[in-house]
Amino acid sequence: MTTTTVGPAQLPPDEPAQRLRAELERLRDEATRQKDLAHRRAEFWAKADVVLGFPAALLAGTAGATGLATADARIPAALLALASAGFTAGAGFLRSATRCRANKRARHAWAALEGRATVKLAQEHVTAEDLGELLECRQAALAAYDGEEPQQGQPPLAPG
């Protein structure tokens, strides 16, 4: 006759370590994906900054030169100045340069998390403290999108 025991299931002795290792791998994989995404976003916003800024500067210079050329060129100069103002307003509204810097900061933070996770996974034993450290690094990477760059004279914030 077979009897079954009722009660908490016993985990194999290495089950908690396997779960910790699996979570570290998940964090490393997330960091890799987020790093690549932040890199692509930084490139996009850098291009958007050029696409909006260069025509604005070119049109502003052309409008000034056209306006000074002859009195009959007032209307074309005004139209060029309006187009330049539109590009400038668009660039200011989108804040592409700020978004580019934020994504670069985030890319570096995600890369740091990825590197730390890789080092932790290379160790024979991982602990809950290792996971806690990486979760703090993850929070720092998430905050990097909104964070400000350190002011001159202030030390940069070191994660974990």
Side-chain angles (χ1 to χ4, degrees):
M1 180 171 171
T2 307
T3 60
T4 58
T5 58
V6 178
Q10 294 293 326
L11 294 174
D14 61 342
E15 178 68 22
Q18 287 177 348
R19 283 191 281 167
L20 278 173
R21 189 166 290 281
E23 187 62 21
L24 292 178
E25 288 172 355
R26 189 193 66 75
L27 281 171
R28 182 195 57 199
D29 294 344
E30 177 189 14
T32 301
R33 283 189 312 274
Q34 292 294 337
K35 176 190 69 169
D36 293 342
L37 181 61
H39 178 74
R40 287 192 307 272
R41 286 178 178 165
E43 285 180 338
F44 170 80
W45 287 114
K47 290 174 186 173
D49 193 38
V50 171
V51 165
L52 292 171
F54 183 73
L58 186 64
L59 289 171
T62 305
T66 304
L68 293 175
T70 64
D72 295 335
R74 289 181 303 162
I75 293 175
L79 292 174
L80 290 173
L82 283 173
S84 174
F87 277 109
T88 303
F93 174 75
L94 291 175
R95 300 180 348 256
S96 52
T98 302
R99 291 174 192 246
C100 179
R101 282 191 307 273
N103 278 285
K104 284 181 179 181
R105 279 193 309 271
R107 179 183 63 203
H108 291 294
W110 286 114
L113 173 59
E114 179 187 27
R116 285 179 181 220
T118 301
V119 168
K120 300 285 184 193
L121 287 168
Q123 298 173 358
E124 188 174 332
H125 300 288
V126 293
T127 64
E129 289 78 24
D130 294 333
L131 179 59
E133 178 186 331
L134 291 180
L135 288 173
E136 287 178 15
C137 289
R138 181 181 183 274
Q139 285 303 114
L142 289 170
Y145 291 105
D146 297 327
E148 293 293 321
E149 293 183 72
Q151 298 296 323
Q152 205 169 25
Q154 290 181 340
L157 296 176

